[in-house]
Amino acid sequence: MASHRKLRAAAVVCVVALGPAPTAAGAVAEAPAASVPSAVAPSPDPFTGLTADEIADRAVTATRSATSLRMAGRVVTDGQPLDIDFAVNDKDECTGLMKIKGGTAELRRIDRVTYMKGDEAFWRVSMASQGMPEPQIDATVELVKGRWLKIAPGQPGASDLGGVCDLKSLLSDLDKDEAERRGLTRGPDAEVDGTPVATLVKKRTGGETTTVSVSREGKPYILKMVRAGGEEPGTISLSDYDKPVEVVVPPADETVDLSRLDAGTPA
């Protein structure tokens, strides 16, 4: 189905947002509070004696060890902003939402099967962006209205959409280009959702600045990545590390199989 080309962007976007770690390439957000961390009172520093680059090394190692996490924020793909909020685990399972141009879709993946349920605005935007004729869009929207699109292994879009739920692959990209996370400096300590963090800053030519917030409590997980200036300023937040991800399989009578949709047959 042609509309899945746009939906595949969700998988690409999440990979870009997470790697290489402190550069936060591709991450975009709107939250004003994310741009400048607030200073916090001094406390015992778990990173005493470490350079910013060494803190980044610890953060990447810790984050890659996670068995699950939640990622939320705004990212950009093909010039279009895409809002995401996903909980993902290391069993290739996930559940979450994505929004683009006023349309919203929910995504679930379990037992290697992906389920997607979008509102009419989401499907129309996705299909129109691929040049699908209006009559075909109308017919397709009617078939999926109020239903979950079921995409089994091997069907078009299955591997790309499943990539959003591949935690191991997402986190492996943290070390894709180690040189990208060198040359950092440490900024003022701050807080992210009440957790004390160390901030790591990298300034680039053209006025672009990337700030990565690393937890100072427990494991040094990456909690936020912010990029200011440049062509794609923004943020993505990571939370709920190592917490269970509960995925509910939609009822069979509320799903439509992708093969039937592609064939144009009734569900």
Side-chain angles (χ1 to χ4, degrees):
M1 183 174 150
S3 64
H4 277 82
R5 294 173 188 166
K6 193 61 174 180
L7 302 181
R8 288 188 193 112
V12 177
V13 159
C14 288
V15 173
V16 171
L18 283 174
T23 63
V28 176
E30 308 177 281
S35 58
V36 181
S38 58
V40 296
S43 62
D45 186 359
F47 304 126
T48 297
L50 298 180
T51 66
D53 288 353
E54 289 170 337
I55 296 173
D57 289 340
R58 292 195 178 188
V60 168
T61 298
T63 302
R64 288 193 64 182
S65 73
T67 59
S68 65
L69 58 80
R70 177 184 177 186
M71 61 180 75
R74 173 170 286 187
V75 291
V76 168
T77 178
D78 298 332
Q80 292 292 339
L82 176 69
D83 294 300
I84 60 169
D85 189 348
F86 284 98
V88 189
N89 66 20
D90 59 0
K91 299 176 182 177
D92 294 342
E93 298 173 340
C94 75
T95 181
L97 296 171
M98 64 179 77
K99 298 181 180 181
I100 185 169
K101 283 189 174 181
T104 301
E106 184 176 354
L107 181 72
R108 300 179 188 177
R109 180 176 169 85
I110 188 170
D111 295 331
R112 300 181 63 218
V113 178
T114 303
Y115 301 89
M116 175 168 283
K117 184 178 183 180
D119 59 18
E120 182 172 340
F122 179 85
W123 289 121
R124 287 192 179 279
V125 166
S126 299
M127 291 183 280
S129 69
Q130 301 305 317
M132 185 180 290
E134 192 67 27
Q136 188 177 357
I137 292 177
D138 291 339
T140 303
V141 167
E142 190 62 30
L143 285 174
V144 298
K145 184 183 300 182
R147 298 185 179 185
W148 291 85
L149 185 61
K150 181 180 179 181
I151 308 168
Q155 292 184 317
S159 60
D160 289 325
L161 282 170
V164 138
C165 307
D166 188 346
L167 181 63
K168 293 179 181 178
S169 177
L170 293 176
L171 295 182
S172 69
D173 272 25
L174 289 173
D175 275 339
K176 188 175 183 179
D177 188 352
E178 188 174 330
E180 284 294 315
R181 55 183 174 86
R182 292 294 175 237
L184 296 162
T185 59
R186 185 167 176 178
D189 289 346
E191 288 188 355
V192 172
D193 294 330
T195 300
V197 296
T199 60
L200 310 179
V201 181
K202 185 168 185 176
K203 295 185 177 182
R204 300 173 179 273
T205 57
E208 181 181 304
T209 301
T210 298
T211 303
V212 177
S213 299
V214 180
S215 177
R216 295 175 59 202
E217 291 184 348
K219 292 185 178 181
Y221 288 132
I222 297 171
L223 300 185
K224 182 171 287 186
M225 299 179 287
V226 178
R227 191 161 73 173
E231 296 181 356
E232 297 179 343
T235 189
I236 189 165
S237 298
L238 305 178
S239 62
D240 292 351
Y241 280 95
D242 303 318
K243 293 184 178 181
V245 175
E246 298 182 3
V247 184
V248 178
V249 177
D253 61 356
E254 295 180 12
T255 66
V256 54
D257 191 271
L258 179 62
S259 61
R260 293 188 177 185
L261 194 61
D262 284 338
T265 58

